[in-house]
Amino acid sequence: MAGGDSADVSVCVMSATLRGVEALPITVEVSLSGGIPGIDVIGTRDPSILEARSRVRCAINSAGFEMPRLKVTVNLAPGDVRKSGTAFDLPIAVGILIATRQVNPRIADEALFFGELALDGRVCPGRGEAAYVLLAEKLCGLAVLSDLTELIGPSAERVRLISNLSQLREGLDGLGLAARGTSGQSPLASTPSTDLDFADVVDQEMAKRAMVIAASGRHGMLMVGPPGAGKTMLARRMPGILPPLTEEERAEALLVHSVAGQPIEAIARGVRPFRAPHHSISAGGLVGGGRPVLPGEISLADKGVLFLDELPEFANNVLQSLRQPMEDREVRIVRVDGVYTFPCDFQLVAAANPCPCGHLGDPGYQCTCAPSRVQSYQAKIGGPLMDRIDVVCDVARPSSDKVIKGRVGLGTAEMALMVAEARERADWRRARQDEHDLRDPVASARMGPKALETFETYARRLCLGGRAIARVARVARTVADVEGHDEVATGDLVEALGFRSRNMG
């Protein structure tokens, strides 16, 4: 059959294409027939898939197989699903080798193939491996992959790795099984370590307190202060005080990063993502898009921290694109060929200078900005977005004496314990509240009579809207959880209101 035999032969090989964070099943149908030798690929595909013809031809010859001197027709079914990427190289090559009887046809039974081929027959790593594994488990429990980290493997019982097309001569039994990790232990068996410690940030105890509250209640946070105050140092240490990733959270974060072609080793160890895009980023880069449609920075920060430094410097349309994802914790990107949905359950941490020169209200420095420039600069963030940031904290320049002496305050371990206890207390309380109270943020906060009266007074004085009232109540409840209070006390409410009353926005 590898020679000039002209008998018609058809073979089906299971593969998949990426759509958002999902892998959709695709059947690669390979047909050999008489005619002018060559490979023709059909079935609603991007032009990039046509390049597979040259790679497959060279890879088959380099791996010691023979390319048939027949017309090869490849159909990617179903035809109404758009396909893209280079992952169809391997299944096309497998289909041709089965059709020409150069490999055992049983290798296509209950197996899903994907991978890009090099010209010398090597199978190269590609993006989206986690999505392919999930689909393979769902469909048939077996996957033949180009490359796989040992920490994705434990979720699949029969994941096999292929590094060169020539390995298919021995069938699937000749392929190695994916490693299942060391010592048979879950990668989440221990808390991930980090070299960044809050103890290194000197004279910022109020900001650390605000970060504990933000992390405990999953509240968005904005730090306002002059350059050099330590805002970036604080933000980069936020993942260290968040609870370790659960199995479900880790799987979702791995999936997003795998589909985006991003490194997954740190997430596989249980480290929460930390994303800090530059303020020149486009709306598509932040929320996702492109062709093929890929997740943006807010989705790459899923289950982790999204840090937006120099917040007023971001384009206004970019900042406003955050509003819906922050509420829904997912982003929906509509294209002609359908709707793509990406998760974006992130902890927002932002930083901003109080004015263009950065020295408004900074002791020892004189602000050179006109009042109109200050107002315009602060208004760049926009009221609707500021209304969704629950904790706004002033970060003053640290004392030079304390910095020189290296005075140590709250450290990461102590702050992480405070966050864990506050979240546990909140989960315990919510499990015992009825559905009506959970829908009513003020009732859910369980304020005492004096605190409730104080809240009504301040709400009228500050002209708080419905969303603002709900968010202040949630922050007050978080403060009470951090303090270990069953009911929100007046002090808890006043502290929550203090995080709200700022001029930014």
Side-chain angles (χ1 to χ4, degrees):
M1 181 64 71
D5 195 345
S6 60
D8 290 353
V9 178
S10 295
V11 172
C12 292
V13 177
M14 188 182 302
S15 186
T17 187
L18 295 176
R19 180 183 174 84
V21 293
E22 292 183 302
L24 302 181
I26 299 295
T27 301
V28 178
E29 301 174 339
V30 178
S31 176
L32 303 183
S33 61
I36 299 176
I39 304 176
D40 188 19
V41 183
I42 59 177
T44 315
R45 76 287 180 279
D46 282 348
S48 60
I49 294 182
L50 293 179
E51 299 175 355
R53 298 177 297 183
S54 298
R55 289 193 296 268
V56 168
R57 184 183 300 109
C58 292
I60 287 179
N61 291 328
S62 299
F65 297 106
E66 292 184 34
M67 191 67 193
R69 295 189 294 274
L70 297 169
K71 179 178 177 59
V72 179
T73 302
V74 178
N75 180 41
L76 307 179
D80 61 344
V81 176
R82 189 167 191 85
K83 300 93 180 173
S84 62
T86 59
F88 291 106
D89 292 6
L90 180 59
I92 291 174
V94 170
I96 293 174
L97 295 178
I98 293 176
T100 56
R101 301 173 187 169
Q102 298 183 71
V103 298
N104 191 332
R106 294 186 59 187
I107 67 173
D109 296 341
E110 297 185 352
L112 183 146
F113 293 82
F114 80 93
E116 177 184 342
L117 292 175
L119 299 185
D120 60 359
R122 289 179 295 108
V123 185
C124 305
R127 67 180 184 90
E129 291 173 347
Y132 289 114
V133 170
L134 291 177
L135 177 64
E137 290 180 322
K138 185 185 302 182
L139 294 180
C140 55
L142 177 63
V144 179
L145 307 180
S146 59
D147 184 33
L148 197 66
T149 66
E150 65 176 18
L151 294 177
I152 298 179
S155 64
E157 294 294 335
R158 300 170 59 198
V159 174
R160 296 183 181 273
L161 311 182
I162 179 172
S163 59
N164 195 290
L165 196 60
S166 61
Q167 293 177 271
L168 292 178
R169 281 195 177 89
E170 304 174 12
L172 294 183
D173 292 336
L175 302 179
L177 286 170
R180 296 186 57 80
T182 59
S183 305
Q185 294 181 351
S186 167
L188 300 181
S190 59
T191 301
S193 60
T194 176
D195 295 331
L196 300 177
D197 197 309
F198 273 100
D200 300 329
V201 186
V202 180
D203 197 26
Q204 294 295 358
E205 299 310 298
M206 289 301 298
K208 294 179 185 179
R209 163 80 174 183
M211 299 200 85
V212 167
I213 293 171
S216 298
R218 303 174 178 87
H219 304 296
M221 179 180 181
L222 171 62
M223 294 178 285
V224 182
K231 301 186 295 293
T232 301
M233 289 183 66
L234 289 164
R236 291 192 177 277
R237 285 157 175 76
M238 173 66 95
I241 65 175
L242 297 176
L245 286 168
T246 65
E247 286 285 357
E248 294 76 13
E249 290 175 333
R250 183 180 68 99
E252 185 174 293
L254 277 173
L255 184 62
V256 174
H257 279 70
S258 176
V259 167
Q262 296 287 318
I264 60 175
E265 290 76 12
I267 296 174
R269 294 195 307 268
V271 178
R272 290 186 180 269
F274 179 87
R275 307 294 299 189
H278 191 261
H279 56 73
S280 62
I281 191 172
S282 65
L286 189 65
V287 302
R291 175 62 69 184
V293 179
L294 296 177
E297 288 292 327
I298 63 174
S299 294
L300 293 173
D302 184 49
K303 310 307 179 187
V305 176
L306 177 68
F307 176 48
L308 302 181
D309 200 3
E310 304 292 346
L311 189 63
E313 300 296 338
F314 284 77
N316 183 261
N317 67 309
V318 173
L319 289 182
Q320 299 314 312
S321 66
L322 285 173
R323 290 156 55 182
Q324 177 265 333
M326 287 179 64
E327 292 286 343
D328 299 341
R329 301 192 184 276
E330 70 174 18
V331 58
R332 292 167 55 85
I333 301 173
V334 181
R335 292 291 183 266
V336 174
D337 57 342
V339 179
Y340 296 78
T341 303
F342 296 104
C344 58
D345 184 7
F346 56 86
Q347 175 88 47
L348 176 64
V349 179
N353 294 333
C355 66
C357 77
H359 296 300
L360 180 65
D362 187 7
Y365 292 85
Q366 183 176 0
C367 176
T368 60
C369 304
S372 59
R373 286 194 65 203
V374 173
Q375 184 177 6
S376 176
Y377 180 80
Q378 295 182 350
K380 285 183 178 180
I381 301 177
L385 179 60
M386 281 299 301
D387 206 31
R388 290 167 170 82
I389 297 178
D390 301 335
V391 177
V392 182
C393 174
D394 285 331
V395 181
R397 189 181 301 277
S399 167
S400 57
D401 293 340
K402 293 180 181 179
V403 172
I404 294 173
K405 294 178 181 179
R407 181 178 177 181
V408 177
L410 283 174
T412 296
E414 185 178 357
M415 294 170 65
L417 180 60
M418 295 168 64
V419 172
E421 291 178 346
R423 288 196 175 195
E424 182 179 357
R425 190 174 292 110
D427 292 340
W428 179 87
R429 187 189 65 258
R430 280 193 290 265
R432 284 156 177 78
Q433 287 182 310
D434 58 40
E435 187 175 348
H436 177 268
D437 284 349
L438 290 176
R439 289 197 302 266
D440 186 341
V442 178
S444 180
R446 296 177 61 183
M447 293 188 184
K450 188 174 181 180
L452 189 59
E453 182 181 350
T454 303
F455 194 16
E456 292 175 352
T457 301
Y458 275 98
R460 288 193 300 269
R461 186 178 302 172
L462 299 175
C463 299
L464 299 180
R467 180 185 287 111
I469 290 174
R471 290 188 174 274
V472 169
R474 292 192 181 102
V475 175
R477 181 62 260 178
T478 301
V479 174
D481 288 333
V482 172
E483 292 296 319
H485 299 161
D486 291 334
E487 288 189 347
V488 174
T490 303
D492 302 329
L493 177 63
V494 171
E495 185 173 4
L497 286 166
F499 289 130
R500 189 83 191 176
S501 56
R502 294 293 187 273
N503 293 325
M504 296 295 293

